[in-house]
Amino acid sequence: MVAGVGPNGGGGGGEYPGRFTGFVAVTCILGAMGGLIFGYDIGISGGVTSMAPFLKKFFPGVYHREINDRSHSQYCKFDDFTLTAFTSSLYVAAFFASLVASTVTKKFGRKWSMFLGGLIFLSGALLNMFASHVSMLIVGRILLGIGVGFSVQSVPLYVSEMAPHKYRGSLNIVFQLSITVGIFAANLVNYFTPRLTVVDGWRVSLGGACVPALIIMVSSFFLPNTPNSMLEQGKPKEAREMLRRIRGVSDQEVEAEFRGIDEASAAARAVEHPWRNILLRRNRPYLVMSLLIPSFQQLTGINVVMFYAPVLFQSIGFKSDAALLSAVITGTVNVLATFVSIYGVDRWGRRFLFLEGGVQMIGSQVAIAALIGWKFGVTGDVTVLPAWYAWLVVGLICFYVAGYAWSWGPLGFVVPSEIFPLEIRSAGQSINVSMNMFFTFLIAQLFLTMLCHMKFGLFLFFACFLVGMSVFIYFFLPETKGVPIESVARVFRDHWYWRRFMVADDDDHKGGPGGKKFHSTAV
Ligand SMILES: OC[C@H]1O[C@](O)(CO)[C@@H](O)[C@@H]1O
């Protein structure tokens, strides 16, 4: 999320010497672990909530409704508050944790924030694995959420501070890629665990989260703090030596970059009121983007598929096994399509990908609504459906997922991370992460109830949002492809709408809090 930026003052600024050292390699792996933790959570809960033994043990009401009530509407058979609370509770916790984590990350350094995240996450995974009552499940999910909030906040920051400038952008998308790999791994685990005979499959699925948690804990324990953290803690000598070691260069060679980081850290510390500054008129475009982009990302409806694909596929007539297999298929498409974004983001630009992905998702949502409406109508009373029909829906969902995976998925993080000027960067990133978690929670909690009430119209509902957000991108998002972070403010100043905020900012600069000290760093 915050990879690509750091308090280094903008990333991509100078061309400092630096090799791809062992340190950098390890930090990449660590970054990937942060993404895996998040992705594994997203992908695991839907499959687990479609497993009969799990439902029977913790949600008997849902289980019996599914078994006995054949005439019941397909749209509503999984609509159960505690069932959705099981999935969504994680994101409420992650929302609050991502707000708190920035203080911990700043005070104790990225390293300990990651360690703490891993530890809390591990305890959540263990509690879930050994759960004997639904309350243990929910508390476990809350702990997992706190772990996710801490990791999503601190790991990318750690990676971006360790990585040489020229690798920072790609590491940003590697983080999203690792989220998709985490989802895929979870889908795969869910496909195999119901076949286990000696132990409950769902316990293995939920306990699997221990693996990335242990890796992140062990590695963050042994890894050093970043030079930026050391500067924040008033240890300039250690910070300089650390930077030299990470870059694998000589004393002289590291000097320029160290000075840059030192100045930028001092400047970042001097911003007394980043939360107030973000409200200044001249920062309005960034505030709007930090609020809307993550919210819109979730309003594409992607997590309906990511969380509930197996449940959704069962609702359209698949048996449990085929439903879990279909989730593996959509998970594969999600990973592969993310590579298209890695390839295209700096060639075709952000706007093209956003708009193409948007149109592709609108088309598939409308087609899915039409197909489901055709067979299920408003009653949702269907017993037998032809196989070709269910597979056609799966195909359309894959087309939709691909559109998301090369547009709103990675860009939802890349764009906010590259537009914030230094004075509001930490606040902007916190807003971005917490909005993302908040809307993820809303979708997780409301989807099954919405499906029950809005029926096939739910897909049209998301399609309408997609129309609105594509129009927004078309008119309001300037292209930032190939623009150095320091110069991003210029593209906003040249923009037909945002220029009015950027030009007429004299008052803010003169009188606003912090206004005298900081003009947008990107000027
Ligand atoms: O790959 C899809 C996943 O990616 C995210 O957008 C996070 O970047 C999640 O909200 C979604 O589940």
Side-chain angles (χ1 to χ4, degrees), residues 226-245:
T226 65
N228 309 60
S229 285
M230 293 177 170
L231 278 170
E232 259 170 14
Q233 289 159 0
K235 299 176 187 158
K237 259 175 98 182
E238 287 89 333
R240 194 173 181 290
E241 176 52 22
M242 182 51 64
L243 188 67
R244 197 191 59 71
R245 276 182 59 203

Side-chain angles (χ1 to χ4, degrees), residues 177-449:
L177 181 68
S178 66
I179 294 176
T180 62
V181 172
I183 297 175
F184 171 71
N187 294 154
L188 212 56
V189 168
N190 274 343
Y191 181 65
F192 287 108
T193 52
R195 291 164 176 65
L196 297 174
T197 45
V198 279
V199 59
D200 283 328
W202 61 266
R203 291 196 190 274
V204 179
S205 290
L206 295 178
C210 292
V211 177
L214 278 172
I215 298 178
I216 202 170
M217 268 178 74
V218 172
S219 44
S220 60
F221 185 80
F222 288 108
L223 280 172
N225 249 327
T226 65
N228 309 60
S229 285
M230 293 177 170
L231 278 170
E232 259 170 14
Q233 289 159 0
K235 299 176 187 158
K237 259 175 98 182
E238 287 89 333
R240 194 173 181 290
E241 176 52 22
M242 182 51 64
L243 188 67
R244 197 191 59 71
R245 276 182 59 203
I246 306 166
R247 295 288 176 263
V249 295
S250 71
D251 266 350
Q252 287 91 336
E253 283 171 322
V254 87
E255 193 51 38
E257 183 175 4
F258 179 69
R259 248 184 294 122
I261 296 179
D262 195 19
E263 279 163 23
S265 293
R269 280 198 300 273
V271 179
E272 279 166 39
H273 305 291
W275 288 97
R276 226 189 282 167
N277 279 15
I278 205 167
L279 298 176
L280 295 178
R281 186 176 163 81
R282 67 168 182 272
N283 287 326
R284 198 61 43 83
Y286 311 121
L287 177 65
V288 170
M289 295 299 167
S290 71
L291 289 169
L292 291 190
I293 291 183
S295 321
F296 283 171
Q297 190 207 49
Q298 292 305 312
L299 289 170
T300 55
I302 187 65
N303 278 322
V304 164
V305 178
M306 295 300 144
F307 291 141
Y308 296 116
V311 170
L312 195 66
F313 292 140
Q314 278 196 40
S315 299
I316 59 167
F318 278 125
K319 294 263 173 313
S320 175
D321 209 34
L324 289 170
L325 178 65
S326 313
V328 175
I329 296 172
T330 52
T332 312
V333 170
N334 193 21
V335 175
L336 296 181
T338 307
F339 283 103
V340 175
S341 188
I342 294 179
Y343 176 82
V345 70
D346 290 319
R347 289 183 171 80
W348 311 320
R350 284 74 168 140
R351 282 171 56 84
F352 172 78
L353 284 175
F354 265 129
L355 294 172
E356 192 285 333
V359 170
Q360 185 168 330
M361 284 189 278
I362 295 167
S364 19
Q365 294 268 27
V366 171
I368 294 167
L371 270 181
I372 295 188
W374 170 47
K375 285 284 182 191
F376 290 78
V378 282
T379 59
D381 229 338
V382 175
T383 40
V384 192
L385 282 166
W388 65 263
Y389 169 89
W391 285 112
L392 184 58
V393 177
V394 173
L396 282 167
I397 289 182
C398 286
F399 191 57
Y400 162 82
V401 167
Y404 177 86
W406 59 57
S407 63
W408 282 89
L411 295 178
F413 297 126
V414 170
V415 171
S417 79
E418 67 189 8
I419 60 173
F420 298 133
L422 179 65
E423 64 166 329
I424 52 160
R425 191 162 296 158
S426 63
Q429 295 298 351
S430 286
I431 295 179
N432 189 35
V433 175
S434 49
M435 288 303 285
N436 194 301
M437 295 299 165
F438 178 69
F439 275 88
T440 306
F441 155 73
L442 274 192
I443 301 286
Q445 184 57 43
L446 297 182
F447 166 67
L448 292 177
T449 308

